[in-house]
């Protein structure tokens, strides 16, 4: 059945959103924040050294998009001058337009008079952090350029042994690094608590950066940094490098610094490749991370040369030799040093770890359970979470035992874990570890985790990252013992970044198998043979458990479905849901339609009254346990569907020289002038589908684009024309019933355009003439 359902939302609005999402290629990987306090200037043109010109805002987001709010949850934005040139560059309260775009109200933000917030802000732009996904979808386009990003993948080789990087400090004429010193940073990076009388605890950190990686790697990685004794001071203000108009602000800052203090940099022991390029370059700059959207000095891992900046990436060091900068991680110093962000970015740069928060903010990913998700901020970034067991396993720091009946306990440390593999899919497995928050050396980095007990992770190495979406699942998911699935939900829709109910422990959750809720199923919905019982209590050095067959029999199997007919219903349509199961007895079949209503039976009907995306759950309970399957159903608003003005195609069943010429239309995609049209559509990527078959992917430039086919817009009449020659066409149509004999016929297929992950279109009829050795001409109609 077809799993990705089509939306008929306003096409023009979403194309504008797509331009926002696709014109900005983000730095390879960066750190997310969730309500972090950041100091910003109220007016960009004012002196930031004067206290009255600086204020605190709360920031959500990452390197791609950021949201600022005041302490009462009201959105704040920097005025771009379009409403009033006198306010340009000043911090104002924001309003949210009907299109979803955030816009300045023109009322200056006054931190001393929060009662002055305009009413329009309270009604449209309050507590937007609860729906970051939709907010960020409408943010203005940042100006960071396209880059050659690191491929998202798990480490393919062990990351162990001694490694030494270079860490330099940068300050600005208006912002000194003081009171922090290079000696502070040297201890922060390199203090070895295992060889000292006391543990590193400066600025309330739980160990140094060296301590962190040494301990979580099971003493396999010894990562140190050379810290020059000089701090580089830029010749110009921070704004020279850090505004939304800067394309290469971070690489330029780095090269200015390296060239400026190169003569005092001792490269002895610093790891470089055969060409003299530094392998691990860290740069720490004075002040807070930027709060404004699009400012490039957000902490991140990127590359000087790989950015495409064209900068001279060479510098001469103290030894008179020329070295080069490329891969780097950038972190702010702040007012006191915190290891969380630095360790997160080094996780990218040194270990090759990806991000495991949901970069679309439609869910939480691994939340605060992982350094590479929200866990870098545990205890205000002073005691970050370790990398999840999956990453430690692939980095060579952890050797999991096989899940057999001989395993009766799991130690709560960084050396022990258990693995249970899917015999039918080499990339998929469960990895099981113990977490203890108090006592023992290993618990140091567990102390600020959301809970303690037995952590069961569901891994699929064939998936890339933890981004939620229709028909997809996480690369690394935490099985939440309470069954609430809160890590898979948005912040404002029941989601959170982890709590005590997520882990298994007596007396509340003592078993996990194919017959429990949640159930030990594989991602294809088949029931695994994993069975864990007699799970003991948390808090000790080990957690007792028993692996075995368990379960009391074989859970029911879903043979086909669950399916929905129609697959793309409109509000008010009656949808028929069906599923086919096998079981030794008479199973009960129950449905949760996702709108607070339920039903039962192998075949049920339901009518949705409002357009939305609904999570439909089918639960089959039999004598051997329970099997659960989901399907995301999108109910669309048919009040303004996308239509086809014109459509034709040609088939040649002998030579397969087939073509399609289709003109899509939507009245909301009408622009009065070229400038507004280009702003909305430049660098959009359009994917063309017939059913689940991707026919073409076209990226646009000023209303035109070309790949297998060509796309052109008529911005005055709301028309998008797609013309392509595609040898797949007749084969795809054949799967829907088209034939290559001497008869004419018709087939009805889903013909869609996907923009920024959302599909538009619907069911269209291809009426064709099939004549061997001749070109058969056909028409496309709704």
């Amino acid at each position: 059945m077809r799993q990705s359902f089509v939306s008929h939302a306003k096409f023009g609005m979403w194309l504008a959103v797509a331009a926002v999402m696709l014109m900005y290629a983000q730095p390879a990987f960066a750190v997310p924040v969730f309500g972090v306090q950041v100091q910003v200037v109220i007016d960009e043109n004012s002196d930031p050294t004067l206290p009255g010109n600086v204020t605190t805002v709360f920031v959500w987001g990452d390197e791609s998009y950021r949201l600022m709010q005041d302490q009462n949850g009201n959105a704040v934005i920097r005025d771009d001058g379009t409403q009033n040139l006198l306010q340009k560059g000043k911090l104002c309260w924001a309003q949210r337009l009907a299109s979803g775009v955030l816009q300045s109200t023109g009322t200056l933000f006054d931190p001393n008079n929060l009662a002055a917030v305009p009413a329009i802000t309270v009604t449209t732009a309050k507590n937007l952090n609860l729906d970051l996904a939709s907010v960020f979808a409408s943010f203005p386009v940042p100006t960071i350029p396209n880059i050659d990003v690191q491929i998202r993948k798990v480490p393919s080789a062990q990351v162990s042994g001694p490694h030494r990087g270079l860490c330099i400090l940068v300050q600005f004429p208006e912002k000194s690094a003081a009171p922090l010193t290079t000696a502070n940073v040297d201890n922060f990076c390199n203090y070895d608590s295992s060889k000292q009388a006391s543990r590193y605890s400066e600025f309330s950190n739980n160990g140094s950066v060296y301590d962190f990686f040494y301990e979580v790697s099971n003493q396999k990685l010894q990562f140190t940094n050379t810290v020059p004794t000089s701090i580089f001071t830029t010749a110009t203000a921070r704004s020279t490098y850090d505004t939304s108009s800067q394309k290469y602000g971070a690489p330029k800052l780095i090269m200015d610094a390296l060239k400026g203090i190169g003569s005092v940099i001792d490269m002895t022991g610093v790891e470089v490749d055969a060409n003299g390029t530094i392998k691990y370059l860290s740069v720490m700059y004075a002040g807070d991370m930027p709060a404004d959207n699009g400012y490039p000095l957000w902490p991140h891992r990127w590359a000087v040369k790989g950015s495409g900046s064209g900068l001279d990436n060479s510098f001469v060091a103290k030894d008179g030799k020329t070295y080069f900068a490329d891969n780097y991680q950038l972190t702010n110093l702040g007012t006191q040093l915190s290891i969380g962000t630095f360790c997160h970015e080094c996780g990218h740069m040194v270990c090759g770890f990806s991000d495991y928060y949901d970069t679309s903010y439609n869910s939480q990913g691994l939340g605060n359970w992982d350094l590479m998700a929200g866990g870098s901020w545990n205890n205000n970034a002073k005691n970050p979470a370790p990398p999840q067991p999956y990453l430690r396993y692939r980095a060579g720091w952890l050797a999991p035992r096989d899940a057999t009946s001989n395993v009766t306990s799991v130690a709560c440390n960084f050396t022990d874990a258990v693995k249970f593999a899917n015999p039918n899919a080499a990339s998929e497995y469960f990895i099981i570890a113990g977490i203890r928050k108090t006592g023992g050396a290993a618990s140091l980095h567990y102390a600020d985790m959301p809970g303690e007990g037995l952590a069961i992770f569901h891994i699929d190495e064939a998936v890339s990252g933890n981004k939620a979406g229709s028909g997809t699942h996480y690369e690394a998911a935490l099985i939440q013992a309470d069954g609430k699935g809160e890590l898979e939900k948005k912040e404002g829709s029941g989601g959170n970044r982890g709590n005590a109910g997520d882990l298994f422990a007596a007396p509340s959750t003592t078993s996990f198998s194919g017959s429990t809720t949640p159930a030990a199923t594989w991602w294809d919905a088949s029931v695994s043979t994993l069975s864990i019982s007699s799970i003991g209590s948390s808090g000790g050095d080990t957690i007792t458990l028993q692996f075995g067959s368990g379960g009391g029999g074989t859970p029911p199997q879903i043979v086909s479905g669950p399916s929905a007919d129609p697959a793309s219903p409109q509000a008010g349509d009656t949808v028929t849901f069906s599923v086919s199961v096998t079981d030794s007895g008479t199973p009960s079949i129950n449905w949760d339609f996702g709108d607070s209503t339920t039903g039962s039976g192998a075949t049920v009907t339901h009518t949705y009254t409002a357009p939305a995306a609904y999570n439909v759950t089918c639960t089959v309970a039999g004598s051997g346990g329970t099997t659960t399957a989901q399907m995301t159903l999108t109910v669309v608003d048919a009040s303004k569907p996308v239509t086809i003005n014109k459509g034709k195609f040609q088939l040649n069943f002998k030579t397969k020289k087939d073509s399609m010429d289709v003109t899509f239309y939507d009245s909301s995609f009408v622009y009065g002038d070229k400038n507004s049209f280009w702003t909305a559509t430049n660098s959009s990527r359009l994917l063309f589908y017939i059913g689940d078959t991707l026919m073409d992917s076209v990226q646009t430039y000023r209303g035109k684009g070309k790949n297998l086919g060509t796309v052109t817009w008529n911005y005055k009449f709301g028309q998008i024309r797609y013309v392509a020659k595609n040898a797949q066409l007749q084969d795809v149509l054949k799967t829907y019933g088209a034939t290559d004999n001497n008869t004419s016929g018709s087939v009805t297929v889903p013909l869609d355009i996907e923009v920024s992950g959302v599909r538009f279109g619907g069911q269209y009829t291809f009426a064709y003439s099939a004549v061997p050795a001749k070109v058969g001409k056909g028409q496309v109609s709704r």
Side-chain angles (χ1 to χ4, degrees), residues 177-180 184 188 200-205 284 287-288 332-339 379-382:
L180 300 175
N184 291 143
F188 169 84
Y200 175 83
S201 58
E202 195 170 18
F203 308 107
S204 300
N205 283 291
M284 303 187 77
D288 282 352
N332 66 295
L333 285 164
T335 57
Q336 53 177 275
L337 296 170
S338 302
I339 67 172
N379 192 14
N380 297 315
K382 304 296 185 181

Side-chain angles (χ1 to χ4, degrees), residues 60-131:
W60 283 260
D62 56 17
E63 76 278 20
S64 299
Y65 302 102
R66 275 152 256 162
L67 170 70
M68 291 186 284
Q69 291 182 176
D70 68 17
Q71 65 184 30
N72 293 324
N74 301 304
V76 178
I77 197 170
R78 200 167 299 281
D79 199 301
D80 61 4
T82 56
Q83 307 299 312
N84 186 340
L85 283 176
L86 295 178
Q87 307 291 40
K88 186 175 182 180
K90 298 178 181 179
L91 215 57
C92 295
W93 274 290
Q95 61 178 316
R96 196 173 190 203
L97 306 181
S99 63
V101 173
L102 280 183
Q103 178 179 287
S104 169
T105 61
T107 301
L108 290 176
F109 173 66
D110 184 355
N112 299 315
N113 184 15
L114 294 182
V117 59
I120 188 68
T121 296
V122 177
T123 56
T124 67
K126 189 176 180 68
N127 296 328
L128 294 181
N129 60 291
L130 298 180
D131 191 12

Side-chain angles (χ1 to χ4, degrees), residues 63-238:
E63 76 278 20
S64 299
Y65 302 102
R66 275 152 256 162
L67 170 70
M68 291 186 284
Q69 291 182 176
D70 68 17
Q71 65 184 30
N72 293 324
N74 301 304
V76 178
I77 197 170
R78 200 167 299 281
D79 199 301
D80 61 4
T82 56
Q83 307 299 312
N84 186 340
L85 283 176
L86 295 178
Q87 307 291 40
K88 186 175 182 180
K90 298 178 181 179
L91 215 57
C92 295
W93 274 290
Q95 61 178 316
R96 196 173 190 203
L97 306 181
S99 63
V101 173
L102 280 183
Q103 178 179 287
S104 169
T105 61
T107 301
L108 290 176
F109 173 66
D110 184 355
N112 299 315
N113 184 15
L114 294 182
V117 59
I120 188 68
T121 296
V122 177
T123 56
T124 67
K126 189 176 180 68
N127 296 328
L128 294 181
N129 60 291
L130 298 180
D131 191 12
L132 292 176
S134 63
V135 175
F136 290 159
S138 58
F139 259 30
V141 181
T143 55
I144 303 297
N146 190 15
I147 63 168
D148 181 17
V149 297
Q150 173 181 325
I151 298 174
R152 296 183 63 92
K153 61 182 181 180
V154 298
S156 58
Q158 292 192 358
V159 185
S160 61
H163 294 279
R164 190 163 185 84
L166 173 67
C167 178
I168 62 173
L169 276 61
V170 179
Q171 60 188 5
F172 308 98
E174 77 282 11
K175 183 61 178 177
S176 167
L180 300 175
T181 67
T182 56
N184 291 143
V185 175
D186 194 291
N187 279 334
F188 169 84
C189 290
N190 301 316
Y191 191 97
D192 184 350
S193 295
S194 68
K195 297 179 180 178
Q196 303 295 332
S198 61
R199 185 172 180 78
Y200 175 83
S201 58
E202 195 170 18
F203 308 107
S204 300
N205 283 291
N206 179 20
S208 66
V209 173
Y210 173 87
D211 290 336
F212 179 85
F213 284 107
Y214 182 69
E215 290 160 359
V216 302
S217 70
N218 189 23
Q219 304 179 4
K220 294 182 182 295
L221 174 60
Q222 301 93 43
F223 177 57
T224 57
N225 279 273
T226 292
V227 182
T229 56
S230 296
I231 301 177
F232 174 73
T233 304
T234 61
T236 55
R238 170 170 165 165

